[in-house]
mmCIF file with all atom_site columns, all heavy atoms in Angstrom:
data_model
loop_
_atom_site.group_PDB
_atom_site.id
_atom_site.type_symbol
_atom_site.label_atom_id
_atom_site.label_alt_id
_atom_site.label_comp_id
_atom_site.label_asym_id
_atom_site.label_entity_id
_atom_site.label_seq_id
_atom_site.pdbx_PDB_ins_code
_atom_site.Cartn_x
_atom_site.Cartn_y
_atom_site.Cartn_z
_atom_site.occupancy
_atom_site.B_iso_or_equiv
_atom_site.pdbx_formal_charge
_atom_site.auth_seq_id
_atom_site.auth_comp_id
_atom_site.auth_asym_id
_atom_site.auth_atom_id
_atom_site.pdbx_PDB_model_num
ATOM 1   N N   . PRO K 1 292 ? 53.875 -86.092 159.418 1.00 98.00 ? 292 PRO K N   1
ATOM 2   C CA  . PRO K 1 292 ? 54.316 -84.888 158.691 1.00 98.00 ? 292 PRO K CA  1
ATOM 3   C C   . PRO K 1 292 ? 53.640 -84.670 157.339 1.00 98.00 ? 292 PRO K C   1
ATOM 4   O O   . PRO K 1 292 ? 53.454 -83.531 156.927 1.00 98.00 ? 292 PRO K O   1
ATOM 5   C CB  . PRO K 1 292 ? 55.825 -85.126 158.523 1.00 98.00 ? 292 PRO K CB  1
ATOM 6   C CG  . PRO K 1 292 ? 56.191 -86.100 159.589 1.00 98.00 ? 292 PRO K CG  1
ATOM 7   C CD  . PRO K 1 292 ? 54.991 -86.965 159.800 1.00 98.00 ? 292 PRO K CD  1
ATOM 8   N N   . GLN K 1 293 ? 53.283 -85.748 156.637 1.00 98.00 ? 293 GLN K N   1
ATOM 9   C CA  . GLN K 1 293 ? 52.705 -85.577 155.282 1.00 98.00 ? 293 GLN K CA  1
ATOM 10  C C   . GLN K 1 293 ? 51.213 -85.263 155.368 1.00 98.00 ? 293 GLN K C   1
ATOM 11  O O   . GLN K 1 293 ? 50.388 -85.934 154.765 1.00 98.00 ? 293 GLN K O   1
ATOM 12  C CB  . GLN K 1 293 ? 52.920 -86.829 154.427 1.00 98.00 ? 293 GLN K CB  1
ATOM 13  C CG  . GLN K 1 293 ? 54.356 -87.209 154.189 1.00 98.00 ? 293 GLN K CG  1
ATOM 14  C CD  . GLN K 1 293 ? 54.962 -87.938 155.387 1.00 98.00 ? 293 GLN K CD  1
ATOM 15  O OE1 . GLN K 1 293 ? 54.293 -88.671 156.090 1.00 98.00 ? 293 GLN K OE1 1
ATOM 16  N NE2 . GLN K 1 293 ? 56.231 -87.710 155.627 1.00 98.00 ? 293 GLN K NE2 1
ATOM 17  N N   . THR K 1 294 ? 50.872 -84.214 156.146 1.00 98.00 ? 294 THR K N   1
ATOM 18  C CA  . THR K 1 294 ? 49.472 -83.825 156.334 1.00 98.00 ? 294 THR K CA  1
ATOM 19  C C   . THR K 1 294 ? 49.219 -82.477 155.684 1.00 98.00 ? 294 THR K C   1
ATOM 20  O O   . THR K 1 294 ? 50.053 -81.575 155.769 1.00 98.00 ? 294 THR K O   1
ATOM 21  C CB  . THR K 1 294 ? 49.139 -83.729 157.838 1.00 98.00 ? 294 THR K CB  1
ATOM 22  O OG1 . THR K 1 294 ? 49.447 -84.959 158.468 1.00 98.00 ? 294 THR K OG1 1
ATOM 23  C CG2 . THR K 1 294 ? 47.662 -83.412 158.059 1.00 98.00 ? 294 THR K CG2 1
ATOM 24  N N   . LEU K 1 295 ? 48.066 -82.339 155.053 1.00 98.00 ? 295 LEU K N   1
ATOM 25  C CA  . LEU K 1 295 ? 47.648 -81.059 154.488 1.00 98.00 ? 295 LEU K CA  1
ATOM 26  C C   . LEU K 1 295 ? 46.207 -80.780 154.898 1.00 98.00 ? 295 LEU K C   1
ATOM 27  O O   . LEU K 1 295 ? 45.456 -81.703 155.230 1.00 98.00 ? 295 LEU K O   1
ATOM 28  C CB  . LEU K 1 295 ? 47.716 -81.097 152.953 1.00 98.00 ? 295 LEU K CB  1
ATOM 29  C CG  . LEU K 1 295 ? 49.092 -81.177 152.293 1.00 98.00 ? 295 LEU K CG  1
ATOM 30  C CD1 . LEU K 1 295 ? 48.940 -81.425 150.804 1.00 98.00 ? 295 LEU K CD1 1
ATOM 31  C CD2 . LEU K 1 295 ? 49.877 -79.890 152.547 1.00 98.00 ? 295 LEU K CD2 1
ATOM 32  N N   . LEU K 1 296 ? 45.821 -79.494 154.844 1.00 97.00 ? 296 LEU K N   1
ATOM 33  C CA  . LEU K 1 296 ? 44.428 -79.125 155.099 1.00 97.00 ? 296 LEU K CA  1
ATOM 34  C C   . LEU K 1 296 ? 43.683 -79.088 153.782 1.00 97.00 ? 296 LEU K C   1
ATOM 35  O O   . LEU K 1 296 ? 44.168 -78.523 152.799 1.00 97.00 ? 296 LEU K O   1
ATOM 36  C CB  . LEU K 1 296 ? 44.357 -77.723 155.715 1.00 97.00 ? 296 LEU K CB  1
ATOM 37  C CG  . LEU K 1 296 ? 44.960 -77.498 157.091 1.00 97.00 ? 296 LEU K CG  1
ATOM 38  C CD1 . LEU K 1 296 ? 44.838 -76.016 157.452 1.00 97.00 ? 296 LEU K CD1 1
ATOM 39  C CD2 . LEU K 1 296 ? 44.269 -78.353 158.147 1.00 97.00 ? 296 LEU K CD2 1
ATOM 40  N N   . ALA K 1 297 ? 42.480 -79.664 153.765 1.00 97.00 ? 297 ALA K N   1
ATOM 41  C CA  . ALA K 1 297 ? 41.641 -79.567 152.569 1.00 97.00 ? 297 ALA K CA  1
ATOM 42  C C   . ALA K 1 297 ? 41.241 -78.109 152.371 1.00 97.00 ? 297 ALA K C   1
ATOM 43  O O   . ALA K 1 297 ? 41.093 -77.366 153.341 1.00 97.00 ? 297 ALA K O   1
ATOM 44  C CB  . ALA K 1 297 ? 40.397 -80.419 152.743 1.00 97.00 ? 297 ALA K CB  1
ATOM 45  N N   . GLU K 1 298 ? 41.089 -77.714 151.124 1.00 96.00 ? 298 GLU K N   1
ATOM 46  C CA  . GLU K 1 298 ? 40.635 -76.365 150.820 1.00 96.00 ? 298 GLU K CA  1
ATOM 47  C C   . GLU K 1 298 ? 39.683 -76.442 149.646 1.00 96.00 ? 298 GLU K C   1
ATOM 48  O O   . GLU K 1 298 ? 39.952 -77.149 148.671 1.00 96.00 ? 298 GLU K O   1
ATOM 49  C CB  . GLU K 1 298 ? 41.853 -75.492 150.489 1.00 96.00 ? 298 GLU K CB  1
ATOM 50  C CG  . GLU K 1 298 ? 41.664 -74.075 150.939 1.00 96.00 ? 298 GLU K CG  1
ATOM 51  C CD  . GLU K 1 298 ? 42.900 -73.216 150.736 1.00 96.00 ? 298 GLU K CD  1
ATOM 52  O OE1 . GLU K 1 298 ? 44.025 -73.710 150.925 1.00 96.00 ? 298 GLU K OE1 1
ATOM 53  O OE2 . GLU K 1 298 ? 42.722 -72.048 150.368 1.00 96.00 ? 298 GLU K OE2 1
ATOM 54  N N   . GLU K 1 299 ? 38.574 -75.729 149.763 1.00 97.00 ? 299 GLU K N   1
ATOM 55  C CA  . GLU K 1 299 ? 37.563 -75.810 148.706 1.00 97.00 ? 299 GLU K CA  1
ATOM 56  C C   . GLU K 1 299 ? 38.083 -75.225 147.394 1.00 97.00 ? 299 GLU K C   1
ATOM 57  O O   . GLU K 1 299 ? 38.816 -74.239 147.401 1.00 97.00 ? 299 GLU K O   1
ATOM 58  C CB  . GLU K 1 299 ? 36.284 -75.096 149.154 1.00 97.00 ? 299 GLU K CB  1
ATOM 59  C CG  . GLU K 1 299 ? 35.634 -75.871 150.287 1.00 97.00 ? 299 GLU K CG  1
ATOM 60  C CD  . GLU K 1 299 ? 34.384 -75.229 150.867 1.00 97.00 ? 299 GLU K CD  1
ATOM 61  O OE1 . GLU K 1 299 ? 33.833 -74.286 150.262 1.00 97.00 ? 299 GLU K OE1 1
ATOM 62  O OE2 . GLU K 1 299 ? 33.970 -75.688 151.943 1.00 97.00 ? 299 GLU K OE2 1
ATOM 63  N N   . PHE K 1 300 ? 37.693 -75.851 146.306 1.00 97.00 ? 300 PHE K N   1
ATOM 64  C CA  . PHE K 1 300 ? 38.077 -75.460 144.941 1.00 97.00 ? 300 PHE K CA  1
ATOM 65  C C   . PHE K 1 300 ? 39.571 -75.627 144.680 1.00 97.00 ? 300 PHE K C   1
ATOM 66  O O   . PHE K 1 300 ? 40.128 -74.971 143.809 1.00 97.00 ? 300 PHE K O   1
ATOM 67  C CB  . PHE K 1 300 ? 37.620 -74.017 144.619 1.00 97.00 ? 300 PHE K CB  1
ATOM 68  C CG  . PHE K 1 300 ? 36.156 -73.813 144.882 1.00 97.00 ? 300 PHE K CG  1
ATOM 69  C CD1 . PHE K 1 300 ? 35.725 -72.972 145.898 1.00 97.00 ? 300 PHE K CD1 1
ATOM 70  C CD2 . PHE K 1 300 ? 35.198 -74.468 144.131 1.00 97.00 ? 300 PHE K CD2 1
ATOM 71  C CE1 . PHE K 1 300 ? 34.374 -72.795 146.165 1.00 97.00 ? 300 PHE K CE1 1
ATOM 72  C CE2 . PHE K 1 300 ? 33.839 -74.307 144.385 1.00 97.00 ? 300 PHE K CE2 1
ATOM 73  C CZ  . PHE K 1 300 ? 33.422 -73.459 145.402 1.00 97.00 ? 300 PHE K CZ  1
ATOM 74  N N   . CYS K 1 301 ? 40.214 -76.459 145.478 1.00 96.00 ? 301 CYS K N   1
ATOM 75  C CA  . CYS K 1 301 ? 41.640 -76.753 145.242 1.00 96.00 ? 301 CYS K CA  1
ATOM 76  C C   . CYS K 1 301 ? 41.791 -78.215 144.837 1.00 96.00 ? 301 CYS K C   1
ATOM 77  O O   . CYS K 1 301 ? 41.045 -79.069 145.298 1.00 96.00 ? 301 CYS K O   1
ATOM 78  C CB  . CYS K 1 301 ? 42.461 -76.524 146.512 1.00 96.00 ? 301 CYS K CB  1
ATOM 79  S SG  . CYS K 1 301 ? 42.706 -74.794 146.837 1.00 96.00 ? 301 CYS K SG  1
ATOM 80  N N   . THR K 1 302 ? 42.781 -78.455 143.981 1.00 96.00 ? 302 THR K N   1
ATOM 81  C CA  . THR K 1 302 ? 43.028 -79.802 143.468 1.00 96.00 ? 302 THR K CA  1
ATOM 82  C C   . THR K 1 302 ? 44.218 -80.423 144.186 1.00 96.00 ? 302 THR K C   1
ATOM 83  O O   . THR K 1 302 ? 45.239 -79.768 144.371 1.00 96.00 ? 302 THR K O   1
ATOM 84  C CB  . THR K 1 302 ? 43.338 -79.709 141.957 1.00 96.00 ? 302 THR K CB  1
ATOM 85  O OG1 . THR K 1 302 ? 42.193 -79.147 141.323 1.00 96.00 ? 302 THR K OG1 1
ATOM 86  C CG2 . THR K 1 302 ? 43.621 -81.067 141.355 1.00 96.00 ? 302 THR K CG2 1
ATOM 87  N N   . PHE K 1 303 ? 44.061 -81.667 144.603 1.00 97.00 ? 303 PHE K N   1
ATOM 88  C CA  . PHE K 1 303 ? 45.146 -82.403 145.261 1.00 97.00 ? 303 PHE K CA  1
ATOM 89  C C   . PHE K 1 303 ? 45.422 -83.673 144.452 1.00 97.00 ? 303 PHE K C   1
ATOM 90  O O   . PHE K 1 303 ? 44.639 -84.617 144.514 1.00 97.00 ? 303 PHE K O   1
ATOM 91  C CB  . PHE K 1 303 ? 44.748 -82.765 146.697 1.00 97.00 ? 303 PHE K CB  1
ATOM 92  C CG  . PHE K 1 303 ? 44.525 -81.566 147.588 1.00 97.00 ? 303 PHE K CG  1
ATOM 93  C CD1 . PHE K 1 303 ? 43.288 -80.911 147.610 1.00 97.00 ? 303 PHE K CD1 1
ATOM 94  C CD2 . PHE K 1 303 ? 45.552 -81.090 148.394 1.00 97.00 ? 303 PHE K CD2 1
ATOM 95  C CE1 . PHE K 1 303 ? 43.085 -79.803 148.426 1.00 97.00 ? 303 PHE K CE1 1
ATOM 96  C CE2 . PHE K 1 303 ? 45.351 -79.978 149.212 1.00 97.00 ? 303 PHE K CE2 1
ATOM 97  C CZ  . PHE K 1 303 ? 44.116 -79.337 149.227 1.00 97.00 ? 303 PHE K CZ  1
ATOM 98  N N   . PRO K 1 304 ? 46.510 -83.690 143.674 1.00 97.00 ? 304 PRO K N   1
ATOM 99  C CA  . PRO K 1 304 ? 46.793 -84.883 142.861 1.00 97.00 ? 304 PRO K CA  1
ATOM 100 C C   . PRO K 1 304 ? 47.127 -86.095 143.742 1.00 97.00 ? 304 PRO K C   1
ATOM 101 O O   . PRO K 1 304 ? 47.701 -85.936 144.817 1.00 97.00 ? 304 PRO K O   1
ATOM 102 C CB  . PRO K 1 304 ? 48.026 -84.481 142.039 1.00 97.00 ? 304 PRO K CB  1
ATOM 103 C CG  . PRO K 1 304 ? 48.191 -83.019 142.228 1.00 97.00 ? 304 PRO K CG  1
ATOM 104 C CD  . PRO K 1 304 ? 47.542 -82.659 143.512 1.00 97.00 ? 304 PRO K CD  1
ATOM 105 N N   . VAL K 1 305 ? 46.747 -87.277 143.269 1.00 97.00 ? 305 VAL K N   1
ATOM 106 C CA  . VAL K 1 305 ? 47.142 -88.515 143.963 1.00 97.00 ? 305 VAL K CA  1
ATOM 107 C C   . VAL K 1 305 ? 48.287 -89.104 143.141 1.00 97.00 ? 305 VAL K C   1
ATOM 108 O O   . VAL K 1 305 ? 48.072 -89.592 142.034 1.00 97.00 ? 305 VAL K O   1
ATOM 109 C CB  . VAL K 1 305 ? 45.970 -89.520 144.046 1.00 97.00 ? 305 VAL K CB  1
ATOM 110 C CG1 . VAL K 1 305 ? 46.377 -90.720 144.902 1.00 97.00 ? 305 VAL K CG1 1
ATOM 111 C CG2 . VAL K 1 305 ? 44.717 -88.850 144.606 1.00 97.00 ? 305 VAL K CG2 1
ATOM 112 N N   . TYR K 1 306 ? 49.502 -89.020 143.682 1.00 93.00 ? 306 TYR K N   1
ATOM 113 C CA  . TYR K 1 306 ? 50.690 -89.441 142.932 1.00 93.00 ? 306 TYR K CA  1
ATOM 114 C C   . TYR K 1 306 ? 50.875 -90.948 142.973 1.00 93.00 ? 306 TYR K C   1
ATOM 115 O O   . TYR K 1 306 ? 50.513 -91.596 143.969 1.00 93.00 ? 306 TYR K O   1
ATOM 116 C CB  . TYR K 1 306 ? 51.930 -88.741 143.487 1.00 93.00 ? 306 TYR K CB  1
ATOM 117 C CG  . TYR K 1 306 ? 51.874 -87.243 143.330 1.00 93.00 ? 306 TYR K CG  1
ATOM 118 C CD1 . TYR K 1 306 ? 51.630 -86.415 144.420 1.00 93.00 ? 306 TYR K CD1 1
ATOM 119 C CD2 . TYR K 1 306 ? 52.024 -86.653 142.069 1.00 93.00 ? 306 TYR K CD2 1
ATOM 120 C CE1 . TYR K 1 306 ? 51.562 -85.033 144.278 1.00 93.00 ? 306 TYR K CE1 1
ATOM 121 C CE2 . TYR K 1 306 ? 51.954 -85.278 141.923 1.00 93.00 ? 306 TYR K CE2 1
ATOM 122 C CZ  . TYR K 1 306 ? 51.726 -84.481 143.019 1.00 93.00 ? 306 TYR K CZ  1
ATOM 123 O OH  . TYR K 1 306 ? 51.644 -83.128 142.880 1.00 93.00 ? 306 TYR K OH  1
ATOM 124 N N   . ARG K 1 307 ? 51.468 -91.463 141.902 1.00 89.00 ? 307 ARG K N   1
ATOM 125 C CA  . ARG K 1 307 ? 51.830 -92.881 141.882 1.00 89.00 ? 307 ARG K CA  1
ATOM 126 C C   . ARG K 1 307 ? 53.087 -93.088 142.706 1.00 89.00 ? 307 ARG K C   1
ATOM 127 O O   . ARG K 1 307 ? 53.946 -92.219 142.769 1.00 89.00 ? 307 ARG K O   1
ATOM 128 C CB  . ARG K 1 307 ? 52.149 -93.318 140.442 1.00 89.00 ? 307 ARG K CB  1
ATOM 129 C CG  . ARG K 1 307 ? 50.918 -93.538 139.624 1.00 89.00 ? 307 ARG K CG  1
ATOM 130 C CD  . ARG K 1 307 ? 51.269 -94.089 138.269 1.00 89.00 ? 307 ARG K CD  1
ATOM 131 N NE  . ARG K 1 307 ? 50.093 -94.020 137.404 1.00 89.00 ? 307 ARG K NE  1
ATOM 132 C CZ  . ARG K 1 307 ? 49.113 -94.897 137.432 1.00 89.00 ? 307 ARG K CZ  1
ATOM 133 N NH1 . ARG K 1 307 ? 49.165 -95.931 138.252 1.00 89.00 ? 307 ARG K NH1 1
ATOM 134 N NH2 . ARG K 1 307 ? 48.064 -94.760 136.653 1.00 89.00 ? 307 ARG K NH2 1
ATOM 135 N N   . ARG K 1 308 ? 53.205 -94.278 143.285 1.00 82.00 ? 308 ARG K N   1
ATOM 136 C CA  . ARG K 1 308 ? 54.437 -94.653 143.976 1.00 82.00 ? 308 ARG K CA  1
ATOM 137 C C   . ARG K 1 308 ? 55.537 -94.848 142.956 1.00 82.00 ? 308 ARG K C   1
ATOM 138 O O   . ARG K 1 308 ? 55.292 -95.412 141.895 1.00 82.00 ? 308 ARG K O   1
ATOM 139 C CB  . ARG K 1 308 ? 54.245 -95.986 144.693 1.00 82.00 ? 308 ARG K CB  1
ATOM 140 C CG  . ARG K 1 308 ? 53.778 -95.838 146.097 1.00 82.00 ? 308 ARG K CG  1
ATOM 141 C CD  . ARG K 1 308 ? 53.323 -97.162 146.646 1.00 82.00 ? 308 ARG K CD  1
ATOM 142 N NE  . ARG K 1 308 ? 52.205 -96.925 147.544 1.00 82.00 ? 308 ARG K NE  1
ATOM 143 C CZ  . ARG K 1 308 ? 52.321 -96.844 148.860 1.00 82.00 ? 308 ARG K CZ  1
ATOM 144 N NH1 . ARG K 1 308 ? 53.488 -97.016 149.422 1.00 82.00 ? 308 ARG K NH1 1
ATOM 145 N NH2 . ARG K 1 308 ? 51.278 -96.593 149.614 1.00 82.00 ? 308 ARG K NH2 1
#
Side-chain angles (χ1 to χ4, degrees):
Q293 299 79 33
T294 304
L295 291 171
L296 295 177
E298 214 175 323
E299 292 177 13
F300 307 113
C301 285
T302 299
F303 296 85
V305 186
Y306 297 106
R307 282 185 192 280
R308 269 168 215 262

